[in-house]
Amino acid sequence: MESLSAKQVEIISADVQMAKITFTHLADDLIDHICCEVETEMSSGKSFQDAYEKVRQLFGIRELQKIQENTRYLIDKNYKNMKKMMKVSGTISLIMLGLATVFKIFHWPGAGPGFVFGFFILSMFFFPSAIYINFRDSHQKKNGLLHLTALIGGIAFMVGVLFKIMHWPGAGVMLVVGTGALLLLFMPILLFVSLKKAKTSKDKMLYSMGVFALIIFEMSFLFKMMHWPGSSVLILFGSILLFTVFLPMYTYKNFKENGRITGQYIFLVTTSMFAIIFTFLLSINVSKNVLENFIRQDYITMEVVKHLEVRNEKVYTEYEKMSDSIHLQCDSSVAVLKKNTQDLYDFINELKIQLVQATDKTDKKTAEEMIVNTSRIIAKDNYEVVHKIMLGDANNGKATMLKEKIEQYKTSVLALTVSNPRIKFLIEKSLNTEDYVTPEFKQTWEEYRFSGTVLIASLPVFSDMEMNVKQLEYEVLHSIICKSNNL
Amino acid sequence: MASNDLLKGTLKPIILKLLSEKGRMYGYEITQSVKLISEGKIELTFGALYPILHKLEQDGVVRTEAEVINNRNRIYYVLTEKGNGTAREKIAELEEFVNTIKLLLKPQLGMDYGIA
């Protein structure tokens, strides 16, 4: 029987070390076993290289790790239970979230509870057990802090995302805490650990750059979510660093070391792609040009409204000067018209202020200034708040109230000018609240107007209503006066 | 070669049997013995062996002795006091099981009992 030299044993044990076998004397078991196999091969006349090459085919790093996992699984009850929990909760939450997404797309009821339940299981069961398993598998005591910060930051972040999706209060705080923990604690510790592990200075640079790029990328996400200034610069810088510098270098290094693309690498790239797409979706930036158009449109409409207001005031002043007989005939109608018009106008304007207040979280006075100069609004592309306020959870939002107000106004105005078919037509046309129906598509008026509309695009919708109300006021006023004058 | 499904419950008694006969063995030795005695029909892979050995150690059935051989640590597995009893139990249990299976597989078994 051949026996291996100290140097040859050294080579084998270095390879087994790579698999990070830390379970009691398992590493000794495996090294001795592999050595015995190699010795048996060598006794049939092979060189050490050839013999070891052959044996290595059977005992890859993955297989060695698998043995450690199986051993731990067999012995450690905690480990076993955690692993089971990880599998079960991972599957359940994935199914729940998948179904909830489909339900959401089709506007079926139940998407909300599905998201809540799925996220709850994901963040409270799957994530902690996965971290535990990872911790036990790596089994390095000094990495405890790394796993702990990942656990806290990850849970806070996931709960924050859930709150954000459900439009619950506190999402911002949760996201800041989560991202903050990941940014300020997890990332630096990760960097520290990777730097310690890195063998060459090239590796060190690569790791630092990767963590640095990640920090910038995460920061841009946080800034965007919180509407802090500077997010676009960060996202540009972060993604350039991540995709054009770090990723190619990492791929190169990985390829050079392994000589082939490993499954782990494919997994890493795929998951990071998903994470990045998700980040982009959450913090997506509507093109500035599109937003500019809405600002301009609103500005022009509001200019017309101002003009109409002045004109209507003139007509009212003219009316004041008219003879008593006319006043006797028309005063009540004119008063009703003026009051109802002002009420509806105020209601619409109030909605604008409420929306801006809710999205930009400002006081009422600032919001009032902002709706005059809409370019000052910060959360221009926010559609969640618009949706929540106008449509509510089940079409019970302000839009339905608005529709009712408009209908009341139409009825009351119509009563003042029954005989005039032209005005009747105008009223129906300019304050249309019919549902939007085409042969293949049906939406209620509320959804048609406000579903998925970003804040800056919803303001011209209101301004347009204000304009039409003012124009109607003029037409109706005119017809009342003319009728009594028999003109 | 025997299938994994059939082997599943028998590995532990087989290992215990070997240990009770040879006194102390190391992992590679166990796999080779199984291969030799079964004339290659049963292959105890090291992936299956070490988890079981560690489990037995955890349960106090075997203990280990480390020795430096050919420049490396060799871990020998030895039955403990308690392990001797366990080994006898498990081996007897397996023997009984094998005999029962044999009975079941006997030809014309049904005829004797008038079933068929």
Side-chain angles (χ1 to χ4, degrees):
Chain A
M1 192 81 167
E2 301 276 336
S3 63
L4 295 178
S5 69
K7 198 148 186 218
Q8 289 164 336
V9 173
E10 194 59 42
I11 293 172
I12 291 174
S13 77
D15 281 351
V16 174
Q17 298 295 329
M18 295 255 285
K20 296 204 179 61
I21 306 294
T22 52
F23 193 81
T24 59
H25 52 77
L26 186 60
D28 283 338
D29 282 322
L30 295 177
I31 291 169
D32 183 41
H33 193 106
I34 292 173
C35 288
C36 289
E37 292 275 6
V38 173
E39 283 169 350
T40 313
E41 285 294 329
M42 281 168 77
S43 57
S44 64
K46 282 199 181 87
S47 70
F48 171 72
Q49 261 81 15
D50 289 347
Y52 185 37
E53 200 48 52
K54 190 176 176 204
V55 173
R56 206 146 60 150
Q57 306 282 319
L58 303 170
F59 311 120
I61 286 180
R62 235 355 263 165
E63 279 74 33
L64 298 183
Q65 284 169 341
K66 190 88 201 147
I67 292 172
Q68 174 166 256
E69 271 172 45
N70 286 343
T71 309
R72 191 168 275 145
Y73 191 84
L74 210 58
I75 287 172
D76 193 333
K77 266 227 163 71
N78 249 343
Y79 184 85
K80 194 171 171 175
N81 290 339
M82 280 293 193
K83 198 142 203 178
K84 266 188 192 152
M85 185 159 94
M86 186 178 109
K87 283 177 185 161
V88 173
S89 62
T91 314
I92 292 179
S93 63
L94 207 62
I95 292 173
M96 294 302 295
L97 290 176
L99 280 180
T101 310
V102 173
F103 272 51
K104 186 97 185 166
I105 291 171
F106 283 99
H107 296 288
W108 291 336
F115 270 120
V116 176
F117 192 60
F119 257 99
F120 180 74
I121 292 181
L122 186 74
S123 55
M124 293 301 162
F125 292 94
F126 173 73
F127 189 63
S129 56
I131 295 251
Y132 178 83
I133 295 291
N134 191 282
F135 175 58
R136 291 299 302 270
D137 278 349
S138 70
H139 209 270
Q140 281 159 310
K141 282 279 183 290
K142 51 186 180 291
N143 282 358
L145 203 58
L146 184 70
H147 288 92
L148 190 70
T149 48
L151 182 69
I152 295 171
I155 288 181
F157 181 75
M158 276 190 249
V159 174
V161 170
L162 170 67
F163 273 47
K164 185 94 186 168
I165 292 176
M166 298 309 294
H167 310 295
W168 287 340
V173 179
M174 222 81 84
L175 281 171
V176 171
V177 170
T179 330
L182 291 178
L183 270 178
L184 301 175
L185 299 171
F186 174 71
M187 295 283 187
I189 297 172
L190 180 69
L191 180 62
F192 184 72
V193 172
S194 337
L195 281 185
K196 260 185 130 177
K197 223 170 47 185
K199 285 175 206 111
T200 64
S201 62
K202 218 172 164 184
D203 280 1
K204 271 186 187 160
M205 208 185 83
L206 186 65
Y207 286 139
S208 339
M209 199 159 60
V211 174
F212 186 60
L214 267 179
I215 289 180
I216 291 184
F217 197 77
E218 280 294 313
M219 245 162 84
S220 70
F221 170 71
L222 180 67
F223 272 48
K224 180 75 207 172
M225 295 281 277
M226 300 314 294
H227 294 292
W228 291 336
S231 67
S232 45
V233 180
L234 288 173
I235 211 162
L236 186 72
F237 196 55
S239 30
I240 286 179
L241 205 57
L242 206 57
F243 300 130
T244 60
V245 185
F246 175 72
L247 207 64
M249 277 174 79
Y250 184 75
T251 313
Y252 178 70
K253 173 185 133 70
N254 213 293
F255 190 74
K256 215 173 147 192
E257 273 177 13
N258 294 316
R260 66 196 168 92
I261 298 294
T262 57
Q264 198 187 6
Y265 176 74
I266 295 170
F267 176 75
L268 183 82
V269 170
T270 322
T271 45
S272 32
M273 281 302 151
F274 269 100
I276 286 157
I277 289 167
F278 186 60
T279 308
F280 271 120
L281 280 184
L282 268 182
S283 58
I284 200 153
N285 223 339
V286 178
S287 161
K288 270 225 159 66
N289 295 333
V290 177
L291 299 183
E292 281 302 323
N293 275 332
F294 288 118
I295 293 170
R296 197 160 52 237
Q297 188 194 341
D298 192 65
Y299 175 76
I300 293 168
T301 314
M302 286 316 287
E303 283 298 307
V304 177
V305 171
K306 267 187 229 163
H307 169 74
L308 292 179
E309 250 170 9
V310 173
R311 188 187 62 176
N312 290 0
E313 269 318 303
K314 267 186 195 157
V315 180
Y316 280 119
T317 327
E318 289 287 317
Y319 170 73
E320 290 299 321
K321 291 178 197 154
M322 286 180 180
S323 66
D324 286 350
S325 67
I326 292 176
H327 275 278
L328 202 66
Q329 244 183 41
C330 307
D331 263 2
S332 60
S333 298
V334 170
V336 170
L337 175 68
K338 195 169 182 179
K339 185 182 174 298
N340 287 358
T341 308
Q342 195 58 45
D343 282 354
L344 182 59
Y345 183 88
D346 288 345
F347 183 78
I348 296 170
N349 217 47
E350 188 62 31
L351 281 180
K352 278 183 173 180
I353 295 170
Q354 277 179 13
L355 285 182
V356 174
Q357 254 189 292
T359 43
D360 268 17
K361 300 188 176 60
T362 59
D363 55 298
K364 194 166 178 184
K365 195 170 162 292
T366 320
E368 275 167 1
E369 287 164 19
M370 279 174 164
I371 62 164
V372 178
N373 182 3
T374 52
S375 62
R376 278 186 53 195
I377 295 171
I378 295 161
K380 294 187 183 76
D381 55 353
N382 189 321
Y383 60 90
E384 292 150 326
V385 174
V386 177
H387 187 102
K388 196 181 170 217
I389 292 182
M390 296 310 293
L391 296 173
D393 299 322
N395 278 344
N396 53 4
K398 289 271 164 78
T400 309
M401 259 167 89
L402 176 62
K403 185 178 169 178
E404 280 163 14
K405 288 260 180 196
I406 291 175
E407 284 303 323
Q408 280 167 18
Y409 178 73
K410 276 157 72 175
T411 318
S412 75
V413 170
L414 216 50
L416 302 174
T417 58
V418 214
S419 56
N420 194 328
R422 194 182 74 85
I423 293 190
K424 196 176 170 186
F425 176 76
L426 259 182
I427 292 175
E428 277 312 324
K429 264 289 168 222
S430 62
L431 291 177
N432 192 347
T433 56
E434 275 170 20
D435 290 346
Y436 184 77
V437 182
T438 67
E440 58 283 336
F441 193 70
K442 187 175 183 295
Q443 251 185 339
T444 63
W445 176 81
E446 293 93 322
E447 284 168 346
Y448 174 56
R449 282 304 186 188
F450 300 107
S451 177
T453 313
V454 295
L455 174 67
I456 205 74
S458 71
L459 293 178
V461 173
F462 292 115
S463 301
D464 205 50
M465 283 175 201
E466 289 175 339
M467 182 178 78
N468 288 335
V469 169
K470 288 287 177 193
Q471 178 62 19
L472 264 185
E473 183 184 27
Y474 172 79
E475 294 282 353
V476 175
L477 182 60
H478 196 72
S479 97
I480 293 172
I481 297 169
C482 286
K483 200 171 77 185
S484 63
N485 260 340
N486 291 320
L487 291 174
Chain B
M1 191 125 97
S3 78
N4 280 336
D5 281 349
L6 288 177
L7 278 178
K8 224 171 181 179
T10 61
L11 291 182
K12 205 191 250 185
I14 290 172
I15 293 168
L16 290 173
K17 170 81 177 166
L18 287 173
L19 286 177
S20 69
E21 277 177 8
K22 296 217 177 171
R24 67 170 205 173
M25 293 175 93
Y26 57 97
Y28 182 74
E29 193 184 0
I30 296 176
T31 60
Q32 293 309 302
S33 300
V34 171
K35 205 168 163 183
L36 200 71
I37 297 168
S38 70
E39 293 167 340
K41 281 180 188 149
I42 292 179
E43 196 179 346
L44 178 53
T45 62
F46 83 144
L49 171 70
Y50 288 106
I52 295 177
L53 282 177
H54 280 255
K55 172 74 175 159
L56 289 172
E57 189 187 1
Q58 172 94 2
D59 293 345
V61 177
V62 300
R63 63 188 162 79
T64 56
E65 288 167 3
E67 224 167 274
V68 178
I69 299 213
N70 289 350
N71 305 309
R72 64 211 183 230
N73 270 333
R74 174 160 293 170
I75 311 289
Y76 284 98
Y77 291 84
V78 191
L79 282 177
T80 60
E81 199 74 4
K82 175 189 163 193
N84 282 315
T86 315
R88 269 197 298 279
E89 247 171 61
K90 291 276 170 194
I91 295 163
E93 197 182 296
L94 182 61
E95 268 173 357
E96 207 189 317
F97 176 68
V98 170
N99 287 335
T100 317
I101 295 292
K102 265 188 193 156
L103 264 180
L104 278 171
L105 294 179
K106 238 187 198 165
Q108 294 180 324
L109 168 86
M111 304 288 267
D112 289 351
Y113 291 87
I115 303 171

